[in-house]
Amino acid sequence: MFSFGSAFLAAAVGLVLWTGAGYGLARALGIRRALALPLAPVLGWTVQNALALEISRWAGSPLVGTLGALALISGGWLLSNRRVVEPPDDTPTMPFWVFLAAAIVALLPAMAVVPKETQAGIALAPAIFDHSKIALIDAMVRDGMPPVNPFYGPPGERAGVAYYYLWHFGAAQLAGLTGARGWEADAAASWFTAFSTLTLMAGLALRFARSPLAPALAIALCVTGSLRPVLEAAIGEDRLAGVLRPATGFAGWLFQSSWSPHHVAAAGALVIATLLAVRLAANPRVLTALVLGLVVAGAYQSSIWVGGLVLALAMLALLPLLLRSVPEGGLPLFLLAALGAAALALLLAAPLLVEQYHAGVMRGGGSPVAISPFPVLAENAAGRFGRLLDLPAYWLVLLVVEFPLIYPVGAVALWRLASRRHARTLSGREARALGMLTLVSLASSWLLVSTVGDNNDLGWRAVLPGLMVLTVAAAAGLARLLAQRGRVVAGLALAGFAASLIGGVVIAAGNARGEVSPDAAWFARAPAMWAAVRRHAPAEARVANNPALFATMTPWPVNISWALLADRRSCFAGNELAIAFAPLSQQRRGEISDRFLRVFAGEGSAEDLRALAETYGCDVVLLTARDGAWARDPFAGSPLYRLVETEPEAWRVYVTTRNTSYPAPSTTPQGSQ
């Protein structure tokens, strides 16, 4: 089902591949050795993936893209024979144990992806719901590039992927290099994203505090969570619900790294882009402009919200600061370099932009972004003031509750860092630029809302870059205070950390333990079931199964066994996945979903069955004993499909009669031989 050895090998390959590429680039850009290594994983991941994705689009193979990107990065490093000379500073080298601590803490979000064997069967963590995009990783490895939509794509319709899939392409590279399956590669990539963003925050904390305590504090702060568990214990769950709205995806690093590592990766890339923009203004260079363009493109291709909207707003807000940083007489060169970086980013992002435009047209529904305050207070608490109170409550209540130590301490420390007397130095300008990024990030979550799906992904994810910077600032500020003020500050910091740690422990425990559902025992048999499907489904075939199968394994019903184990395309993977991946209007998506659910509930008509075979191109059908159609099987007597394999009281595999090359029916599954 899942090989920990394959996942470990894939993670190790990613660590060497992306950290090595990033370190070479960082040194070529003139970044000091003390900072180059902590920044290297995020920098290398973003640049190498952006390059490899573009190369693989032309070559058709992620592996060719990997090798081509490494060749280009190596060539750029060799050709860059001039480095930026910085004034000497006293930034110490980050101790090795900090990297080791980051590697260990990074296991906490990665645990959300792996299955847990229990006496009742297989348990999955709730966050696996958002990792159902593993099907996209398998599709890239199986079918090459550009990816063919594995979630939906009837004959005669566009089969491209409009989702921001660079992170999943990175996982596909790991799978191609190591032979890991998509599920294992996703776990490895999740670990690397967590590790890389931890080292990024730790390195910046060390740069601003000049204290080896700062990176340790940065990593410690990342395992904290919301104050909600403490508040519920103190005043009661019902009373808290009468004041605050329920928790959402608006949460800290640990939660977001567990659920949506691609958005976290984009946030790390945006922090790197901010630092590179400051360096480009101070000393315009071709290599800096090229790397900045690649980082911007990679951020957008990983998250349209973080790397697209927030990045664009942040760069506009940073422009006055950057212009003031340009040396006398260097403005024309800076503008030329900045335009070149923007043009490169736009060129690389163009294919995804085109796909997203077409998907938006097909979906309809108007603008994907609207202006609306983030809902904070419960309806009864707001009273006659309505949503107006949500405006100040976001800053005074929500941010304090969700980031209890990071937000208040980080905001004060960041203000002090940005207003120091040496603000004209490179590190001072970086602090001010990161402060502006933080303001834009928090304000975007405050006022902007995404309208594409059922959830406000924009509001939840836009906070990530600011959260990372505040974590850096809080760690640096606490390190300085602990060195100067002693026991009182240490006691207060420890109390705040303990209160916020409880929320982090809840998340980590959920990732490690998972949730045992009524389908746990059946899910343990799912690998053999999907192996039977693959025996009769060529690589290009599309498979139909009940989208609600194993619905209790995840917080919301999603076709999770298909996504994790099938390694074949679906003709319709279900409503939850179609929201993001199918260019369908809400009405049309609902009609298709209802049809598939009817068929597998045993209530479908002959017209529904013909639609599966002809309209949606379902070449292979998997029917299980968990489906309502098992007892009143519509496929058994249909001229459109024929039975090719069955496991008594478990599953049946049918193939379309349009293909007569299948073997005779079998009752012995391969897994039992």
Side-chain angles (χ1 to χ4, degrees):
M1 175 176 289
F2 182 95
S3 169
F4 284 91
S6 293
F8 177 83
L9 177 61
V13 168
L15 180 64
V16 174
L17 170 68
W18 291 317
T19 303
Y23 184 75
L25 280 174
R27 296 298 291 146
L29 290 168
I31 299 175
R32 291 185 173 277
R33 186 175 287 106
L35 187 61
L37 190 56
L39 268 59
V42 170
L43 179 62
W45 181 91
T46 311
V47 172
Q48 190 275 336
N49 274 284
L51 275 174
L53 178 60
E54 186 61 25
I55 295 170
S56 66
R57 281 199 184 105
W58 295 94
S61 166
L63 184 57
V64 173
T66 302
L67 299 176
L70 288 178
L72 287 175
I73 291 173
S74 300
W77 182 78
L78 291 173
L79 291 174
S80 179
N81 53 14
R82 185 171 67 91
R83 293 179 179 173
V84 178
V85 178
E86 292 186 75
D89 61 33
D90 56 351
T91 303
T93 301
M94 196 157 77
F96 173 77
W97 63 263
V98 175
F99 292 99
L100 183 60
I104 294 172
V105 171
L107 293 173
L108 299 179
M111 284 296 295
V113 185
V114 304
K116 292 84 180 169
E117 293 188 14
T118 70
Q119 291 182 344
I122 298 298
L124 299 176
I128 199 67
F129 172 85
D130 259 7
H131 289 266
S132 52
K133 306 173 187 72
I134 285 169
L136 188 55
I137 301 171
D138 283 324
M140 293 178 188
V141 177
R142 181 181 63 246
D143 303 325
M145 298 293 294
V148 178
N149 195 326
F151 305 93
Y152 177 79
E157 295 189 23
R158 293 180 64 88
V161 178
Y163 195 79
Y164 27 91
Y165 57 78
L166 183 71
W167 189 90
H168 304 90
F169 171 77
Q173 288 187 79
L174 298 183
L177 288 170
T178 64
R181 291 170 293 187
W183 193 354
E184 298 149 359
D186 185 285
S190 296
W191 174 86
F192 181 84
T193 297
F195 171 78
S196 64
T197 50
L198 284 170
T199 62
L200 170 65
M201 289 182 279
L204 290 175
L206 182 64
R207 176 174 177 79
F208 290 126
R210 308 292 202 278
S211 166
L213 179 61
L217 290 172
I219 292 175
L221 288 172
C222 286
V223 300
T224 60
S226 173
L227 276 182
R228 288 178 187 268
V230 175
L231 294 175
E232 289 175 355
I235 66 174
E237 187 175 348
D238 292 338
R239 287 186 178 181
L240 183 62
V243 178
L244 292 179
R245 289 178 183 261
T248 63
F250 184 91
W253 175 90
L254 181 56
F255 180 92
Q256 304 237 33
S257 296
S258 303
W259 284 76
S260 299
H262 51 300
H263 293 294
V264 176
L270 181 46
V271 172
I272 293 286
T274 303
L275 299 175
L276 289 175
V278 173
R279 287 178 173 269
L280 186 67
N283 187 0
R285 298 177 61 200
V286 173
L287 181 62
T288 307
L290 289 174
V291 173
L292 176 58
L294 289 166
V295 170
V296 170
Y300 169 73
Q301 291 164 333
S302 299
S303 168
I304 187 176
W305 307 125
V306 176
L309 185 61
V310 177
L311 187 146
L313 293 174
M315 289 301 165
L316 286 174
L318 282 173
L319 191 56
L321 173 64
L322 297 178
L323 291 176
R324 289 197 300 270
S325 303
V326 176
E328 186 176 352
L331 183 59
L333 186 58
F334 166 69
L335 293 177
L336 183 62
L339 288 174
L344 176 61
L346 185 60
L347 178 66
L348 295 177
L352 184 57
L353 280 168
V354 171
E355 284 289 351
Q356 288 176 334
Y357 170 76
H358 284 294
V361 170
M362 295 294 292
R363 289 191 183 105
S367 172
V369 178
I371 298 177
S372 179
F374 197 101
V376 178
L377 302 175
E379 293 185 7
N380 293 337
R384 60 190 181 90
F385 294 100
R387 297 290 303 279
L388 285 177
L389 285 180
D390 283 335
L391 290 168
Y394 173 86
W395 300 95
L396 301 176
V397 179
L398 183 65
L399 293 178
V400 176
V401 169
E402 298 300 339
F403 319 122
L405 194 57
I406 292 172
Y407 169 62
V409 176
V412 174
L414 185 59
W415 176 266
R416 296 193 63 180
L417 281 170
S419 59
R420 284 181 181 173
R421 289 178 297 175
H422 61 273
R424 293 185 177 274
T425 64
L426 183 59
S427 62
R429 289 195 296 269
E430 288 171 345
R432 297 180 70 181
L434 291 174
M436 183 61 70
L437 170 62
T438 302
L439 182 60
V440 171
S441 170
L442 298 182
S444 297
S445 286
W446 180 39
L447 294 176
L448 300 180
V449 58
S450 53
T451 61
V452 176
D454 294 338
N455 298 319
N456 179 19
D457 268 350
L458 169 56
W460 296 355
R461 315 308 177 195
V463 73
L464 279 166
L467 177 61
M468 286 186 181
V469 177
L470 287 173
T471 302
V472 169
L478 284 173
R480 289 180 176 275
L481 283 173
L482 290 172
Q484 297 170 1
R485 304 294 175 86
R487 295 181 179 178
V488 175
V489 172
L492 292 174
L494 185 60
F497 178 76
S500 56
L501 183 62
I502 296 173
V505 169
V506 171
I507 297 170
N511 289 349
R513 183 179 61 250
E515 293 185 0
V516 178
S517 82
D519 288 329
W522 256 91
F523 194 85
R525 304 178 65 184
M529 178 179 72
W530 285 108
V533 172
R534 287 194 298 274
R535 284 197 292 274
H536 303 285
E540 69 277 6
R542 286 196 179 271
V543 178
N545 78 299
N546 185 357
L549 184 66
F550 299 114
T552 63
M553 296 290 294
T554 52
W556 300 275
V558 69
N559 202 346
I560 195 64
S561 74
W562 165 81
L564 299 179
L565 299 166
D567 194 15
R568 289 297 183 269
R569 302 174 197 161
S570 174
C571 41
F572 183 75
N575 183 66
E576 291 290 341
L577 291 172
I579 292 174
F581 290 98
L584 300 167
S585 67
Q586 183 177 0
Q587 179 181 355
R588 179 64 176 147
R589 189 177 70 242
E591 292 171 354
I592 297 173
S593 178
D594 289 344
R595 168 166 277 166
F596 274 77
L597 291 174
R598 278 199 309 271
V599 168
F600 285 95
E603 301 168 357
S605 64
E607 180 186 352
D608 291 331
L609 219 61
R610 184 167 296 279
L612 261 65
E614 299 177 358
T615 304
Y616 304 112
C618 301
D619 303 302
V620 180
V621 173
L622 170 66
L623 187 66
T624 77
R626 308 283 285 179
D627 301 326
W630 181 260
R632 43 186 187 275
D633 189 343
F635 301 98
S638 171
L640 300 171
Y641 289 96
R642 65 187 181 91
L643 181 70
V644 292
E645 182 169 335
T646 181
E647 170 71 0
E649 304 305 321
W651 63 78
R652 300 169 189 150
V653 180
Y654 291 90
V655 299
T656 175
T657 53
R658 290 174 298 174
N659 192 329
T660 59
S661 62
Y662 294 99
S666 167
T667 59
T668 304
Q670 184 176 350
S672 63
Q673 293 179 348

